[in-house]
Amino acid sequence: MSLANMAPLLVFRPPAVQQVEIVPPDPGMLRVANQMYLTRYQNGDQLIPLTESLKTLQSLSAPSGDAQRYNRALNVLVVNLSEPPAASPEIALDLREAGDAGFLIISNGPVAWTIHGAPAGAMAKLAFESEAPLILRNAPPGIVAGFHIRAFGSYDVVTPADYAQSEQPWRFPVFCSAIRNWSSYFGVPFDQVRIWSYYQSPEYHLRSTAIAADGRDLQWPKSIAVQCAPRPAPPVDPPAPPVQRVRRRYY
């Protein structure tokens, strides 16, 4: 399901297959205003057909409104992939203990995600935000709540680097705005959204109360609302008193 009718930063279920030019166009390709051509995404020596990737996501997407209907919480997973990934890494997502939580996954490159343990009838559990297209394997129909992917023509896509720059106030508000849009889409209060950030792992366990990564210590969640709260301005030293000039009279 694409995010087009939600908010400026999100594009849910486009009415037609969008086409995006990722590699230089073939000679003579006609360019039409506001029309983009879906060809392929190049990652090293690997070519990912974008049309196929987009159609797969659309076919696995739940109807509009199911993100709110089936979820009572929103957990965010920020995945910092190895730099640069030679090819789309294979990463598993374990949904056995997903419960009534939805999950937003933010990554910085193409990934082949394999779904394990999705409960029978699970709907709208996973949302994806990434610059690159993704591959979903073993995914039941309706498991995708939404996606916001630059390779498909979305704008203002946030990445793990944006989250890492939380100390840089000129960029972090964009990340906060994106999470606000997702929390609204899932119908979860912003102050209840929790976020975990991990380096690349072969498998992530998506639980209603926590997100764990194989081979890494379990992290305590962070409240994105706290991180996005307005920060007090740094103290400003009072101006130095003006220099007083004293005239001396000599007798």
Side-chain angles (χ1 to χ4, degrees):
M1 179 175 63
S2 78
L3 299 178
N5 298 322
M6 261 303 301
L9 296 182
L10 306 180
V11 182
F12 287 93
R13 193 179 290 281
V17 175
Q18 297 181 8
Q19 297 181 327
V20 180
E21 182 57 48
I22 298 300
V23 297
D26 295 332
M29 177 178 287
L30 178 64
R31 285 183 174 274
V32 181
N34 299 323
Q35 180 75 23
M36 293 176 284
Y37 291 88
L38 250 191
T39 56
R40 58 193 181 180
Y41 179 92
Q42 181 137 16
N43 181 45
D45 295 331
Q46 182 186 38
L47 292 176
I48 301 175
L50 292 183
T51 302
E52 179 180 340
S53 176
L54 178 57
K55 286 183 177 180
T56 299
L57 281 175
Q58 290 176 322
S59 68
L60 296 172
S61 295
S64 178
D66 279 5
Q68 296 187 21
R69 186 174 299 115
Y70 290 98
N71 299 293
R72 296 294 178 268
L74 176 59
N75 297 334
V76 181
L77 170 61
V78 177
V79 178
N80 297 276
L81 300 177
S82 302
E83 293 285 354
S88 300
E90 305 273 345
I91 300 178
L93 298 174
D94 178 11
L95 293 176
R96 290 178 178 85
E97 300 179 55
D100 60 356
F103 300 88
L104 168 63
I105 300 171
I106 300 173
S107 62
N108 58 335
V111 178
W113 304 99
T114 301
I115 311 301
H116 292 314
M123 297 288 288
K125 305 304 290 182
L126 300 174
F128 298 91
E129 178 132 358
S130 175
E131 293 184 332
L134 56 97
I135 300 170
L136 277 182
R137 295 173 179 159
N138 196 38
I143 199 68
V144 176
F147 53 88
H148 186 218
I149 298 175
R150 183 169 320 209
F152 297 154
S154 298
Y155 297 95
D156 291 325
V157 174
V158 296
T159 67
D162 296 317
Y163 178 69
Q165 294 171 351
S166 60
E167 298 303 322
Q168 300 180 12
W170 56 86
R171 182 58 188 170
F172 197 56
V174 177
F175 187 91
C176 295
S177 179
I179 303 301
R180 284 184 187 277
N181 286 334
W182 281 110
S183 70
S184 176
Y185 182 75
F186 275 86
V188 176
F190 186 61
D191 59 2
Q192 295 181 18
V193 177
R194 297 294 179 265
I195 188 166
W196 287 258
S197 178
Y198 287 103
Y199 287 104
Q200 183 176 329
S201 172
E203 184 172 19
Y204 297 94
H205 304 276
L206 308 184
R207 302 165 182 159
S208 59
T209 56
I211 296 178
D214 273 3
R216 303 197 180 275
D217 294 336
L218 178 64
Q219 294 185 6
W220 288 101
K222 295 182 179 179
S223 168
I224 190 65
V226 172
Q227 292 182 282
C228 293
R231 301 176 184 178
V236 178
D237 294 333
V243 177
Q244 295 184 357
R245 295 185 177 181
V246 179
R247 287 188 175 184
R248 295 185 178 180
R249 305 180 97 179
Y250 295 92
Y251 298 94

